[in-house]
Amino acid sequence: DAAGSSRPSLSPAFAVGFGARIVALLRRAALVHRRSLPVALLRVVMAGFFASLIGLLYLHTGRHLSQTDVQDVTGCLFMLCTSSLFSSIFPILQMLIAELPLVHREHRAGAYDPATHLLSKMLADAPLEFLPPLLLTTVVFGLVGFRDDEGAGGWRHLGGFAACVEAGTFAGSSM
C-alpha cells in the first residue's frame, strides 16, 4: 500500500473495542424488542394456534407402529419442522431488509461493522426465537403421542425432541 493511496481500508479502525460495540448494539436491540412486545406476544399466540392445529390433525398417531401411523408421524414431523422454521425465518428476513440502510450508514460512518451488527442481533433475538418453537414442540409432542408410555415418565423424551426442533429452527434462522 502506498502512503498516498486513496483506497479505503477493508477493516476500519473503531474507536471502541468489539465488546463495547456488541453491548451498545444489544442495548439498542433490547429497546427495539421492548417497543415491539405485542409482535412477540402475537408470535407466541400463533405458535400455540399452529401447535393445536397440527396436534389435533395428527392426534394420537404416534402411539402405534403400523405403516400408516409411521407415514402420519413423518408428515407431522415435516409440518412441525416447516412451521417452526418459517416462523423464525420471516421475521429475520424482514429485519434484514428494514435495517440494511442503517447497517450501511453505520458501517460507512465507522460505528459498527456488519458482522458485529449481525452477531448482536442474533444474541438479542435468541430468547424471542426460543419460546415459540418450544411451545409448538411441547403441544404437538403431547397431542400426537410421541411419548413411549403414559404418565409423567412418557415425557422423558421431550427434551431431546425439543432440542432437535430448536436446533433446526436456529440453524434455519441463522442462514
Side-chain angles (χ1 to χ4, degrees), residues 139-156:
V139 171
V140 169
F141 187 85
L143 288 175
V144 172
F146 288 134
R147 303 166 296 184
D148 58 352
D149 58 358
E150 293 299 317
W155 291 91
R156 68 176 178 250

Side-chain angles (χ1 to χ4, degrees), residues 51-66:
S52 301
L53 185 68
I54 293 170
L56 291 174
L57 186 63
Y58 294 101
L59 189 64
H60 301 298
T61 58
R63 295 186 180 176
H64 308 290
L65 295 175
S66 70

Side-chain angles (χ1 to χ4, degrees), residues 12 19 23 31 44 50 54 58 62 80 86 90 100 110 117 123-124 127 135-136 142 145 152 156 161 171:
V23 168
L31 181 63
V44 171
F50 283 114
I54 293 170
Y58 294 101
L80 181 67
F86 283 143
F90 288 125
L100 194 60
H117 186 81
L123 289 173
L135 175 67
L136 183 77
R156 68 176 178 250
F161 185 70

Side-chain angles (χ1 to χ4, degrees), residues 101-125:
L102 174 70
V103 171
H104 283 303
R105 186 173 58 242
E106 289 178 344
H107 182 64
R108 280 193 305 267
Y112 308 109
D113 57 316
T116 306
H117 186 81
L118 181 64
L119 178 63
S120 67
K121 204 64 172 153
M122 286 176 62
L123 289 173
D125 289 347

Side-chain angles (χ1 to χ4, degrees), residues 13 49 56 78 80 94 97 103 106 109 121 132 137 153 165 173:
F49 172 75
L56 291 174
F78 175 77
L80 181 67
Q94 290 172 347
I97 292 169
V103 171
E106 289 178 344
K121 204 64 172 153
T137 304
V165 173
S173 66

Side-chain angles (χ1 to χ4, degrees), residues 1-14 107-110 112-114:
D1 244 354
S5 176
S6 63
R7 201 171 69 178
S9 68
L10 295 177
S11 176
F14 297 104
H107 182 64
R108 280 193 305 267
Y112 308 109
D113 57 316

